[in-house]
Amino acid sequence: RAKREGRNCWRFYSHDIEESLRTRMALQRSLQHAMETRAFDVYYQPKVDLLTGAIVGAEALVRWRRGDGVLVGPADFIAGTEESGLIVELGLFVLEEACRAAQLWQSCGAGISVAVNVSPRQLTEDTFAGRVSDILERTRLPAGLLQLEITEGTLVNQLEHHRTAMEWLKDHGVLIAIDDFGTGYSSLSYLKRFPIDVLKIDQHFVRNLLVDRSDRAIITAIVQMAQGLGLQLVAEGVEDAGQAETLAALGCRTAQGYFYGRPMPLPAFRQLLESRCP
Ligand code: C2E
Ligand code: MG
Ligand code: MG
Ligand code: MG
């Protein structure tokens, strides 16, 4: 009897795996099709100077306009594109769109930067740094207006491999930001070993900032460390004025979040910029 149960169990399990494999492959086909039919859109979320209220930059965030009209967020498909390798092509598409956009924003005045998320899979391509350089040349965006956002986990997993690409980018003036800072399991020593310019404080620490003393203590420590290391700081996930005021009081200069604007299509972002143009 036990044997039979075991057998049924195995069947059930194997069916499950097969099913999930099928679903994953169907998703990957849809994503490939989306790439071919240009069904990915880049949205932009403003980054704001907490002291002046000025827009100082934007983060590029990809969306998938699915065939059925639903706009799908990256949480539901980036992993799929990483699995199939499509992220390499998608990442370059987002990068080029973002650089082209930021080149236009310059007409509004001094340097509004654009930040683009980079997957580990992209960094391990030997051609990555060269492709970034090609895109900067094609779009005529000054390298100093481009920030590449990398998560802590990405760095820790393939330290040495990534260092070459990062140093090359740094030499060419591109800025490197650590995304979701404080959530990875990593020793802080990589801050010393890598050419990092910006830390983005993860939204988890910002969410309960007004009521949670630990979050406040952690942010205070990050501010001090950033000052000591000469790094720029951006707080993510700012949703209300109280959080903004507290962050400013703690010494964080730049913020991003729904309080200042949700990610929006390029025309809407341009309108927002123009309405604030001096
Ligand atoms: P991320 O880089 O940490 O981006 C910030 C995420 O927080 C975005 O979610 C943004 O819409 C959301 N967010 C911004 N302000 C607030 C706020 O005030 N409250 C809350 N609750 N959320 C806020 P999104 O657009 O869904 O992107 C999720 C993640 O997907 C990104 O996290 C990033 O890791 C990844 N991603 C997005 N675009 C790309 C891309 O082009 N390439 C790669 N490799 N990853 C991307
Ligand atoms: Mg990011
Ligand atoms: Mg983040
Ligand atoms: Mg994130």
Side-chain angles (χ1 to χ4, degrees):
R1 211 198 127 106
K3 199 170 170 189
R4 204 178 325 135
E5 251 174 25
R7 213 182 135 94
N8 287 343
C9 204
W10 154 251
R11 271 219 195 123
F12 175 69
Y13 195 59
S14 132
H15 173 79
D16 245 27
I17 290 176
E18 222 178 278
E19 186 68 25
S20 92
L21 190 67
R22 237 197 301 278
T23 313
R24 264 160 51 203
M25 284 173 64
L27 174 66
Q28 293 190 1
R29 271 196 304 277
S30 308
L31 290 168
Q32 182 63 45
H33 182 71
M35 194 75 240
E36 284 155 14
T37 54
R38 305 183 63 83
F40 291 110
D41 279 338
V42 183
Y43 276 42
Y44 299 90
Q45 184 179 36
K47 263 195 292 191
V48 172
D49 183 318
L50 282 168
L51 297 186
T52 67
I55 296 175
V56 295
E59 178 172 6
L61 296 156
V62 70
R63 270 95 183 92
W64 171 23
R65 255 181 303 106
R66 213 167 52 191
D68 59 7
V70 174
L71 194 69
V72 185
D76 294 326
F77 66 85
I78 286 291
T81 65
E82 283 173 338
E83 223 172 74
S84 68
L86 185 67
I87 187 65
V88 174
E89 191 182 349
L90 176 61
L92 289 171
F93 166 77
V94 174
L95 190 64
E96 181 142 4
E97 289 282 303
C99 290
R100 214 173 286 291
Q103 160 64 31
L104 295 173
W105 301 338
Q106 286 188 92
S107 58
C108 183
I112 289 168
S113 64
V114 73
V116 179
N117 294 283
V118 175
S119 282
R121 185 70 172 70
Q122 294 176 265
L123 270 181
T124 46
E125 292 279 301
D126 289 331
T127 52
F128 181 69
R131 300 302 290 274
V132 173
S133 155
D134 291 346
I135 288 172
L136 287 172
E137 214 165 280
R138 253 201 313 278
T139 58
R140 284 171 293 109
L141 182 73
L145 292 182
L146 175 63
Q147 301 188 5
L148 296 179
E149 297 194 359
I150 303 169
T151 60
E152 277 174 286
T154 303
L155 287 185
V156 175
N157 289 331
Q158 295 231 9
L159 281 176
E160 291 318 308
H161 197 121
H162 290 153
R163 195 213 294 272
T164 325
M166 285 174 69
E167 272 165 3
W168 192 96
L169 291 164
K170 177 81 169 189
D171 286 344
H172 288 73
V174 175
L175 278 73
I176 308 283
I178 299 300
D179 206 348
D180 305 342
F181 182 72
T183 59
Y185 299 96
S186 54
S187 102
L188 291 172
S189 64
Y190 76 88
L191 292 176
K192 226 172 88 174
R193 280 178 294 148
F194 281 92
I196 290 156
D197 304 282
V198 184
L199 297 182
K200 296 191 77 175
I201 304 175
D202 191 75
Q203 48 192 60
H204 282 98
F205 301 118
V206 174
R207 189 164 303 140
N208 301 315
L209 181 57
L210 298 183
V211 289
D212 190 321
R213 290 176 57 184
S214 319
D215 286 336
R216 196 185 297 234
I218 289 168
I219 291 179
T220 305
I222 295 176
V223 168
Q224 269 182 14
M225 191 177 64
Q227 278 167 358
L229 293 168
L231 303 173
Q232 298 175 41
L233 261 191
V234 180
E236 293 193 272
V238 176
E239 293 188 355
D240 60 53
Q243 292 167 339
E245 280 158 23
T246 309
L247 283 163
L250 293 177
C252 178
R253 186 70 198 259
T254 313
Q256 177 183 341
Y258 295 167
F259 182 57
Y260 300 104
R262 295 199 171 233
M264 59 190 96
L266 181 58
F269 185 76
R270 284 201 75 173
Q271 246 175 359
L272 179 67
L273 269 186
E274 273 155 23
S275 72
R276 303 247 199 127
C277 248

